[in-house]
Amino acid sequence: MTLDSEFAKQTTDLILQTLELYKSAGASPRIGETWNCANIGDFLCGFFVGEMVGSALSAFQIVHKREPTPDEHLEIIELVENHSKEIREFFAKFN
């Protein structure tokens, strides 16, 4: 593992806390119409994953004052993927 443990912990905390916020907020009833998507849960799941990876990459750049290496980038993605079951199960409710 090339990511430092504190960054990995903070990123994992961000993922879990943000997922809890999504769970308490729900979804806008206009999502399907606004974004012209039939599977709202799939759309929201992809949005969430992109948001988490993007936020973590931005945080990495701020903390380390550099771009992540390819291995670090993959590890950030893996931090999100570690929660794929819970993320998929929650967003599947909107399909």
Side-chain angles (χ1 to χ4, degrees):
M1 181 160 127
T2 55
L3 290 177
D4 68 82
S5 61
E6 183 58 26
F7 181 83
K9 180 190 176 315
Q10 289 178 353
T11 300
T12 297
D13 289 346
L14 171 72
I15 294 162
L16 294 173
Q17 290 168 4
T18 305
L19 185 57
E20 287 306 311
L21 287 172
Y22 271 74
K23 287 179 179 180
S24 64
S28 167
R30 298 183 311 267
I31 288 176
E33 182 180 314
T34 301
W35 297 105
N36 194 27
C37 57
N39 296 318
I40 294 168
D42 293 345
F43 174 84
L44 289 173
C45 185
F47 181 86
F48 179 85
V49 169
E51 179 182 21
M52 292 300 94
V53 171
S55 295
L57 289 172
S58 294
F60 184 95
Q61 291 170 329
I62 291 167
V63 168
H64 298 290
K65 298 182 180 20
R66 64 176 176 82
E67 295 289 322
T69 65
D71 286 341
E72 290 166 332
H73 190 140
L74 286 175
E75 284 185 42
I76 288 170
I77 292 169
E78 287 173 6
L79 290 173
V80 179
E81 289 174 342
N82 288 339
H83 304 281
S84 62
K85 183 176 187 272
E86 184 179 4
I87 293 168
R88 278 192 327 267
E89 286 175 357
F90 171 67
F91 288 108
K93 295 176 184 177
F94 295 99
N95 280 339

mmCIF file of all heavy atoms in Angstrom, residues 28-55:
data_model
loop_
_atom_site.group_PDB
_atom_site.id
_atom_site.type_symbol
_atom_site.label_atom_id
_atom_site.label_comp_id
_atom_site.label_asym_id
_atom_site.label_seq_id
_atom_site.Cartn_x
_atom_site.Cartn_y
_atom_site.Cartn_z
ATOM 1 N N SER A 28 -33.892 13.428 -5.077
ATOM 2 C CA SER A 28 -34.860 14.341 -5.661
ATOM 3 C C SER A 28 -35.794 13.574 -6.594
ATOM 4 O O SER A 28 -35.327 12.750 -7.395
ATOM 5 C CB SER A 28 -34.144 15.436 -6.447
ATOM 6 O OG SER A 28 -35.060 16.143 -7.258
ATOM 7 N N PRO A 29 -37.075 13.837 -6.538
ATOM 8 C CA PRO A 29 -37.998 13.149 -7.447
ATOM 9 C C PRO A 29 -37.825 13.588 -8.909
ATOM 10 O O PRO A 29 -38.389 12.971 -9.808
ATOM 11 C CB PRO A 29 -39.375 13.541 -6.911
ATOM 12 C CG PRO A 29 -39.155 14.781 -6.132
ATOM 13 C CD PRO A 29 -37.750 14.719 -5.607
ATOM 14 N N ARG A 30 -37.038 14.612 -9.157
ATOM 15 C CA ARG A 30 -36.838 15.120 -10.519
ATOM 16 C C ARG A 30 -35.614 14.538 -11.218
ATOM 17 O O ARG A 30 -35.346 14.856 -12.371
ATOM 18 C CB ARG A 30 -36.712 16.646 -10.479
ATOM 19 C CG ARG A 30 -37.935 17.364 -9.959
ATOM 20 C CD ARG A 30 -37.773 18.886 -10.011
ATOM 21 N NE ARG A 30 -36.514 19.342 -9.446
ATOM 22 C CZ ARG A 30 -36.326 19.722 -8.168
ATOM 23 N NH1 ARG A 30 -37.323 19.679 -7.322
ATOM 24 N NH2 ARG A 30 -35.157 20.141 -7.751
ATOM 25 N N ILE A 31 -34.866 13.685 -10.558
ATOM 26 C CA ILE A 31 -33.601 13.197 -11.127
ATOM 27 C C ILE A 31 -33.807 12.523 -12.477
ATOM 28 O O ILE A 31 -33.115 12.830 -13.444
ATOM 29 C CB ILE A 31 -32.882 12.245 -10.148
ATOM 30 C CG1 ILE A 31 -32.333 13.056 -8.989
ATOM 31 C CG2 ILE A 31 -31.750 11.493 -10.841
ATOM 32 C CD1 ILE A 31 -31.692 12.249 -7.915
ATOM 33 N N GLY A 32 -34.748 11.594 -12.549
ATOM 34 C CA GLY A 32 -34.971 10.877 -13.807
ATOM 35 C C GLY A 32 -35.316 11.803 -14.952
ATOM 36 O O GLY A 32 -34.812 11.648 -16.062
ATOM 37 N N GLU A 33 -36.157 12.775 -14.671
ATOM 38 C CA GLU A 33 -36.569 13.723 -15.708
ATOM 39 C C GLU A 33 -35.447 14.697 -16.052
ATOM 40 O O GLU A 33 -35.159 14.944 -17.233
ATOM 41 C CB GLU A 33 -37.794 14.505 -15.219
ATOM 42 C CG GLU A 33 -38.345 15.480 -16.234
ATOM 43 C CD GLU A 33 -39.550 16.217 -15.665
ATOM 44 O OE1 GLU A 33 -40.425 15.565 -15.070
ATOM 45 O OE2 GLU A 33 -39.581 17.448 -15.813
ATOM 46 N N THR A 34 -34.803 15.238 -15.037
ATOM 47 C CA THR A 34 -33.750 16.229 -15.261
ATOM 48 C C THR A 34 -32.582 15.650 -16.048
ATOM 49 O O THR A 34 -32.067 16.275 -16.974
ATOM 50 C CB THR A 34 -33.244 16.786 -13.921
ATOM 51 O OG1 THR A 34 -34.342 17.381 -13.213
ATOM 52 C CG2 THR A 34 -32.151 17.816 -14.120
ATOM 53 N N TRP A 35 -32.156 14.447 -15.675
ATOM 54 C CA TRP A 35 -30.980 13.852 -16.293
ATOM 55 C C TRP A 35 -31.328 12.801 -17.347
ATOM 56 O O TRP A 35 -30.419 12.163 -17.891
ATOM 57 C CB TRP A 35 -30.080 13.247 -15.219
ATOM 58 C CG TRP A 35 -29.583 14.306 -14.292
ATOM 59 C CD1 TRP A 35 -30.008 14.541 -13.022
ATOM 60 C CD2 TRP A 35 -28.613 15.304 -14.573
ATOM 61 N NE1 TRP A 35 -29.351 15.618 -12.501
ATOM 62 C CE2 TRP A 35 -28.488 16.120 -13.431
ATOM 63 C CE3 TRP A 35 -27.828 15.606 -15.686
ATOM 64 C CZ2 TRP A 35 -27.613 17.193 -13.369
ATOM 65 C CZ3 TRP A 35 -26.955 16.682 -15.625
ATOM 66 C CH2 TRP A 35 -26.857 17.455 -14.474
ATOM 67 N N ASN A 36 -32.630 12.639 -17.624
ATOM 68 C CA ASN A 36 -33.092 11.712 -18.656
ATOM 69 C C ASN A 36 -32.497 10.312 -18.467
ATOM 70 O O ASN A 36 -31.893 9.745 -19.381
ATOM 71 C CB ASN A 36 -32.770 12.257 -20.052
ATOM 72 C CG ASN A 36 -33.522 11.506 -21.129
ATOM 73 O OD1 ASN A 36 -34.597 10.964 -20.882
ATOM 74 N ND2 ASN A 36 -32.960 11.467 -22.328
ATOM 75 N N CYS A 37 -32.672 9.799 -17.260
ATOM 76 C CA CYS A 37 -32.151 8.463 -16.980
ATOM 77 C C CYS A 37 -33.280 7.559 -16.494
ATOM 78 O O CYS A 37 -34.123 7.973 -15.711
ATOM 79 C CB CYS A 37 -31.009 8.507 -15.976
ATOM 80 S SG CYS A 37 -31.406 9.267 -14.401
ATOM 81 N N ALA A 38 -33.275 6.349 -16.989
ATOM 82 C CA ALA A 38 -34.320 5.394 -16.621
ATOM 83 C C ALA A 38 -34.021 4.716 -15.291
ATOM 84 O O ALA A 38 -34.915 4.450 -14.512
ATOM 85 C CB ALA A 38 -34.456 4.346 -17.713
ATOM 86 N N ASN A 39 -32.758 4.434 -15.030
ATOM 87 C CA ASN A 39 -32.353 3.757 -13.800
ATOM 88 C C ASN A 39 -31.729 4.770 -12.841
ATOM 89 O O ASN A 39 -30.515 4.958 -12.810
ATOM 90 C CB ASN A 39 -31.381 2.615 -14.097
ATOM 91 C CG ASN A 39 -32.027 1.540 -14.926
ATOM 92 O OD1 ASN A 39 -33.175 1.169 -14.695
ATOM 93 N ND2 ASN A 39 -31.301 1.043 -15.911
ATOM 94 N N ILE A 40 -32.570 5.402 -12.068
ATOM 95 C CA ILE A 40 -32.130 6.482 -11.180
ATOM 96 C C ILE A 40 -31.080 5.983 -10.186
ATOM 97 O O ILE A 40 -30.098 6.669 -9.914
ATOM 98 C CB ILE A 40 -33.340 7.104 -10.459
ATOM 99 C CG1 ILE A 40 -34.233 7.800 -11.494
ATOM 100 C CG2 ILE A 40 -32.916 8.055 -9.361
ATOM 101 C CD1 ILE A 40 -35.590 8.200 -10.972
ATOM 102 N N GLY A 41 -31.285 4.789 -9.662
ATOM 103 C CA GLY A 41 -30.320 4.244 -8.704
ATOM 104 C C GLY A 41 -28.945 4.059 -9.310
ATOM 105 O O GLY A 41 -27.928 4.356 -8.676
ATOM 106 N N ASP A 42 -28.900 3.571 -10.551
ATOM 107 C CA ASP A 42 -27.615 3.394 -11.229
ATOM 108 C C ASP A 42 -26.946 4.749 -11.469
ATOM 109 O O ASP A 42 -25.732 4.894 -11.286
ATOM 110 C CB ASP A 42 -27.796 2.668 -12.555
ATOM 111 C CG ASP A 42 -28.250 1.228 -12.379
ATOM 112 O OD1 ASP A 42 -28.147 0.697 -11.248
ATOM 113 O OD2 ASP A 42 -28.728 0.641 -13.365
ATOM 114 N N PHE A 43 -27.741 5.728 -11.878
ATOM 115 C CA PHE A 43 -27.215 7.074 -12.095
ATOM 116 C C PHE A 43 -26.642 7.627 -10.788
ATOM 117 O O PHE A 43 -25.514 8.131 -10.750
ATOM 118 C CB PHE A 43 -28.317 7.998 -12.624
ATOM 119 C CG PHE A 43 -27.897 9.428 -12.736
ATOM 120 C CD1 PHE A 43 -27.215 9.880 -13.854
ATOM 121 C CD2 PHE A 43 -28.185 10.340 -11.721
ATOM 122 C CE1 PHE A 43 -26.820 11.207 -13.954
ATOM 123 C CE2 PHE A 43 -27.795 11.661 -11.816
ATOM 124 C CZ PHE A 43 -27.111 12.106 -12.937
ATOM 125 N N LEU A 44 -27.411 7.530 -9.708
ATOM 126 C CA LEU A 44 -26.972 8.055 -8.419
ATOM 127 C C LEU A 44 -25.740 7.317 -7.903
ATOM 128 O O LEU A 44 -24.842 7.937 -7.311
ATOM 129 C CB LEU A 44 -28.099 7.979 -7.391
ATOM 130 C CG LEU A 44 -29.251 8.946 -7.602
ATOM 131 C CD1 LEU A 44 -30.383 8.639 -6.621
ATOM 132 C CD2 LEU A 44 -28.786 10.384 -7.449
ATOM 133 N N CYS A 45 -25.698 6.023 -8.114
ATOM 134 C CA CYS A 45 -24.544 5.236 -7.687
ATOM 135 C C CYS A 45 -23.282 5.715 -8.412
ATOM 136 O O CYS A 45 -22.246 5.960 -7.788
ATOM 137 C CB CYS A 45 -24.789 3.758 -7.955
ATOM 138 S SG CYS A 45 -23.481 2.681 -7.339
ATOM 139 N N GLY A 46 -23.371 5.878 -9.719
ATOM 140 C CA GLY A 46 -22.228 6.372 -10.493
ATOM 141 C C GLY A 46 -21.827 7.770 -10.082
ATOM 142 O O GLY A 46 -20.637 8.086 -9.978
ATOM 143 N N PHE A 47 -22.828 8.616 -9.824
ATOM 144 C CA PHE A 47 -22.557 9.976 -9.369
ATOM 145 C C PHE A 47 -21.819 9.939 -8.040
ATOM 146 O O PHE A 47 -20.809 10.636 -7.850
ATOM 147 C CB PHE A 47 -23.871 10.748 -9.242
ATOM 148 C CG PHE A 47 -23.698 12.163 -8.809
ATOM 149 C CD1 PHE A 47 -23.440 13.163 -9.725
ATOM 150 C CD2 PHE A 47 -23.791 12.501 -7.464
ATOM 151 C CE1 PHE A 47 -23.274 14.479 -9.325
ATOM 152 C CE2 PHE A 47 -23.625 13.817 -7.049
ATOM 153 C CZ PHE A 47 -23.365 14.801 -7.984
ATOM 154 N N PHE A 48 -22.308 9.123 -7.108
ATOM 155 C CA PHE A 48 -21.700 9.020 -5.786
ATOM 156 C C PHE A 48 -20.254 8.535 -5.880
ATOM 157 O O PHE A 48 -19.353 9.123 -5.273
ATOM 158 C CB PHE A 48 -22.524 8.074 -4.898
ATOM 159 C CG PHE A 48 -21.945 7.898 -3.523
ATOM 160 C CD1 PHE A 48 -22.234 8.806 -2.524
ATOM 161 C CD2 PHE A 48 -21.111 6.829 -3.237
ATOM 162 C CE1 PHE A 48 -21.694 8.651 -1.248
ATOM 163 C CE2 PHE A 48 -20.574 6.667 -1.967
ATOM 164 C CZ PHE A 48 -20.868 7.588 -0.975
ATOM 165 N N VAL A 49 -20.027 7.477 -6.648
ATOM 166 C CA VAL A 49 -18.674 6.936 -6.780
ATOM 167 C C VAL A 49 -17.742 7.990 -7.390
ATOM 168 O O VAL A 49 -16.632 8.204 -6.906
ATOM 169 C CB VAL A 49 -18.677 5.636 -7.613
ATOM 170 C CG1 VAL A 49 -17.266 5.200 -7.983
ATOM 171 C CG2 VAL A 49 -19.392 4.531 -6.838
ATOM 172 N N GLY A 50 -18.207 8.666 -8.432
ATOM 173 C CA GLY A 50 -17.393 9.724 -9.042
ATOM 174 C C GLY A 50 -17.102 10.853 -8.071
ATOM 175 O O GLY A 50 -15.985 11.378 -8.030
ATOM 176 N N GLU A 51 -18.112 11.203 -7.288
ATOM 177 C CA GLU A 51 -17.936 12.263 -6.289
ATOM 178 C C GLU A 51 -16.892 11.864 -5.248
ATOM 179 O O GLU A 51 -16.028 12.655 -4.879
ATOM 180 C CB GLU A 51 -19.273 12.553 -5.622
ATOM 181 C CG GLU A 51 -19.217 13.622 -4.556
ATOM 182 C CD GLU A 51 -20.566 13.844 -3.889
ATOM 183 O OE1 GLU A 51 -21.440 12.964 -3.939
ATOM 184 O OE2 GLU A 51 -20.715 14.916 -3.280
ATOM 185 N N MET A 52 -16.960 10.620 -4.785
ATOM 186 C CA MET A 52 -16.017 10.157 -3.760
ATOM 187 C C MET A 52 -14.595 10.066 -4.295
ATOM 188 O O MET A 52 -13.649 10.520 -3.648
ATOM 189 C CB MET A 52 -16.459 8.807 -3.188
ATOM 190 C CG MET A 52 -17.726 8.861 -2.373
ATOM 191 S SD MET A 52 -17.631 9.961 -0.931
ATOM 192 C CE MET A 52 -18.292 11.486 -1.597
ATOM 193 N N VAL A 53 -14.431 9.505 -5.482
ATOM 194 C CA VAL A 53 -13.094 9.404 -6.065
ATOM 195 C C VAL A 53 -12.545 10.800 -6.350
ATOM 196 O O VAL A 53 -11.398 11.111 -6.012
ATOM 197 C CB VAL A 53 -13.105 8.523 -7.337
ATOM 198 C CG1 VAL A 53 -11.758 8.597 -8.064
ATOM 199 C CG2 VAL A 53 -13.440 7.082 -6.989
ATOM 200 N N GLY A 54 -13.359 11.671 -6.924
ATOM 201 C CA GLY A 54 -12.905 13.027 -7.224
ATOM 202 C C GLY A 54 -12.537 13.805 -5.974
ATOM 203 O O GLY A 54 -11.517 14.510 -5.940
ATOM 204 N N SER A 55 -13.351 13.687 -4.935
ATOM 205 C CA SER A 55 -13.054 14.376 -3.672
ATOM 206 C C SER A 55 -11.759 13.862 -3.065
ATOM 207 O O SER A 55 -10.942 14.643 -2.568
ATOM 208 C CB SER A 55 -14.200 14.187 -2.677
ATOM 209 O OG SER A 55 -15.364 14.813 -3.136
#
